Amino acid sequence: FGACFSLFQDLTWQMLPPEVNFATAMGFNVMCRLAGVGLGNFICGLILDFAILSTPDGQVIYSIGGYIGMCTFSGVSILLSALVSGRSIEVAQEKGRQDLMAECGNKP
């Protein structure tokens, strides 16, 4: 988690255009991150709740399938986030190239 968080934080700074209000952009970034963490925790909790087993002595445990489902959901979420972020960077870089060419008087 720490490595992904650090990389995404660095990518966020790289994607921001120079004229942006950094405080607003980073505030929006934090709020989206918190919403994602909350939603992810909720969904993982639901997955585990569907995997509850009762032992003969009355103890409640989670099945291994619940943990596999939770880890699969987390992995797919990270993969989708990486794909969306990578595409966003490509779009931002292309826009930057077009803006630079427009400043130089060339057509894109």
Side-chain angles (χ1 to χ4, degrees):
F1 174 77
C4 289
F5 177 78
S6 297
L7 288 173
F8 274 102
Q9 200 65 17
D10 183 45
L11 291 175
T12 301
W13 280 105
Q14 290 180 23
M15 289 174 37
L16 293 175
E19 69 275 359
V20 76
N21 180 335
F22 287 101
T24 302
M26 295 313 286
F28 181 73
N29 175 25
V30 170
M31 292 308 299
C32 289
R33 188 172 61 229
L34 292 174
V37 168
L39 185 61
N41 282 338
F42 176 74
I43 292 171
C44 286
L46 283 178
I47 292 170
L48 284 177
D49 279 347
F50 284 116
I52 289 179
L53 299 174
S54 294
T55 61
D57 62 352
Q59 190 178 23
V60 177
I61 60 171
Y62 297 112
S63 72
I64 191 72
Y67 288 108
I68 291 171
M70 182 181 69
C71 290
T72 302
F73 168 74
S74 296
V76 168
S77 296
I78 290 171
L79 178 62
L80 290 175
S81 296
L83 292 174
V84 168
S85 296
R87 180 66 184 132
S88 297
I89 291 169
E90 291 172 5
V91 169
Q93 288 173 339
E94 181 60 31
K95 182 175 178 348
R97 280 193 288 273
Q98 290 175 355
D99 290 347
L100 183 61
M101 291 178 77
E103 287 176 11
C104 296
N106 299 330
K107 293 186 178 187

